[in-house]
Amino acid sequence: MRSAPLGFFDSGVGGLTVVRAAQHLLPHEDIVYLGDTARVPYGSKSPETIREFAAQDVRFLMDHGVKAIVIACNTATAHALPALREEFDLPILGVIGPGVEATLADPDTERVGIIATRGTIRSHAYQHALAQRRTGLILHAQAAPLLVPLIEEDWLEHPATEAALHTYLDPMVDKGIDALLLACTHYPLLMPVLRSFLPDEIRLVDSASTCAIHLSEELSRLDLLNDSTDPGTLQIHLTDLSEQFEMLARRFLNHPPGKIRRATL
Ligand code: DGL
């Protein structure tokens, strides 16, 4: 099993930020990525629909012989992780646990801001996981549905994005937060702009890099690390192919995505 690929899936191409972090940390792993671009976004859909789509995504990856699966999507992790673990017999990791651990890595963190899609915020998955791990935390959770389209439009430093960020974040910044959890695959791209206007003492936590660290630890614990010394390969499958998605894939991955295949679920 060690030489089998890892499977990653997301509602679209945002999960490639998690793949990029994983490639950096695990350069010898082969990766099969599925982006459900025909049905993106998941963030505004009902929990039942998200669970149904996520199960189809897992089946697709299992048909490609993967040894473990990373749900590289906060919304799908929030709604589907326990159900998927129950239904499928292979290691399935999500982005929420690692993001929560990274947020609480600083023992002095008491006030946490969370931004995510509507679906993730409404699931309360982050709020429950954080509150379970540390009592007395003060949480400010804010749905930020405009950020995904603004990032996809590449309006990272655009006044419209800055205005949206201020609208979403100013109230929690005014109340006081020690850390801001970027609980959506797309948000790591906002790091520079967030850093430029948030006070220095607010720590930014992104789930992409913390998930890659957790993945590496889990593979080692399960004795599933690839022994190969060859560079790992990346195969991207999307349920809808368009120039826009190819361009986005390149931006999220930060390198050319190679040949993208059309997937049918
Ligand atoms: N990938 C989703 C997430 O991380 C964002 C895009 C969507 O709403 O599907 O929550």
Side-chain angles (χ1 to χ4, degrees):
M1 266 321 253
R2 288 195 205 117
S3 59
L6 293 168
F8 285 65
F9 78 86
D10 177 35
S11 54
V13 285
L16 289 171
T17 55
V18 185
V19 168
R20 170 176 161 185
Q23 283 186 314
H24 186 67
L25 216 59
L26 299 161
H28 306 299
E29 297 293 337
D30 295 326
I31 292 174
V32 179
Y33 179 90
L34 170 66
D36 193 5
T37 44
R39 303 188 293 196
V40 72
Y42 285 5
S44 50
K45 298 201 165 58
S46 70
E48 297 73 30
T49 299
I50 295 165
R51 277 194 286 275
E52 193 186 307
F53 289 176
Q56 291 170 1
D57 298 336
V58 167
R59 279 187 208 106
F60 175 90
L61 291 171
M62 288 182 79
D63 288 346
H64 284 74
V66 300
K67 61 185 171 187
I69 287 179
V70 177
I71 311 178
C73 173
N74 288 263
T75 309
T77 304
H79 288 290
L81 179 63
L84 294 177
R85 281 189 174 151
E86 209 158 288
E87 184 173 349
F88 298 101
D89 188 21
L90 84 171
I92 302 183
L93 283 67
V95 277
I96 293 182
V100 165
E101 293 305 318
T103 307
L104 300 180
D106 177 350
D108 293 331
T109 295
E110 289 172 352
R111 300 161 305 167
V112 180
I114 309 163
I115 48 171
T117 63
R118 271 208 184 92
T120 299
I121 296 296
R122 280 194 188 145
S123 76
H124 288 93
Y126 273 99
Q127 296 92 312
H128 282 147
L130 283 161
Q132 252 177 7
R133 291 277 287 103
R134 188 171 296 169
T135 46
L137 281 177
I138 297 169
L139 302 176
H140 299 289
Q142 174 65 54
L146 291 178
L147 297 184
V148 165
L150 286 166
I151 294 166
E152 295 204 344
E153 209 48 51
D154 204 10
W155 282 16
L156 299 182
E157 283 169 26
H158 193 281
T161 307
E162 284 179 27
L165 285 172
H166 278 291
T167 306
Y168 292 137
L169 296 176
D170 285 356
M172 62 172 87
V173 172
D174 289 347
K175 285 183 197 134
I177 50 171
D178 308 310
L180 176 66
L181 185 40
L182 309 181
C184 174
T185 48
H186 286 52
Y187 300 172
L189 272 72
L190 289 175
M191 275 289 192
V193 61
L194 283 168
R195 204 56 293 168
S196 71
F197 84 81
L198 286 175
D200 287 347
E201 55 276 15
I202 298 180
R203 201 159 47 91
L204 294 178
V205 182
D206 89 80
S207 49
S209 52
T210 54
C211 178
I213 296 168
H214 179 59
L215 171 64
S216 150
E217 290 166 355
E218 276 300 284
L219 290 178
S220 153
R221 190 180 69 78
L222 298 167
D223 195 21
L224 280 178
L225 282 167
N226 198 330
D227 307 319
S228 162
T229 50
D230 295 336
T233 58
L234 170 63
Q235 229 184 71
I236 300 179
H237 302 258
L238 300 180
T239 52
D240 183 42
L241 268 182
S242 69
E243 247 174 54
Q244 169 76 358
F245 288 131
E246 292 203 23
M247 185 270 290
L248 283 172
R250 178 187 284 265
R251 273 180 46 217
F252 283 112
L253 207 52
N254 209 21
H255 60 74
K259 182 182 155 45
I260 301 182
R261 297 162 169 83
R262 170 87 193 269
T264 309
L265 301 184

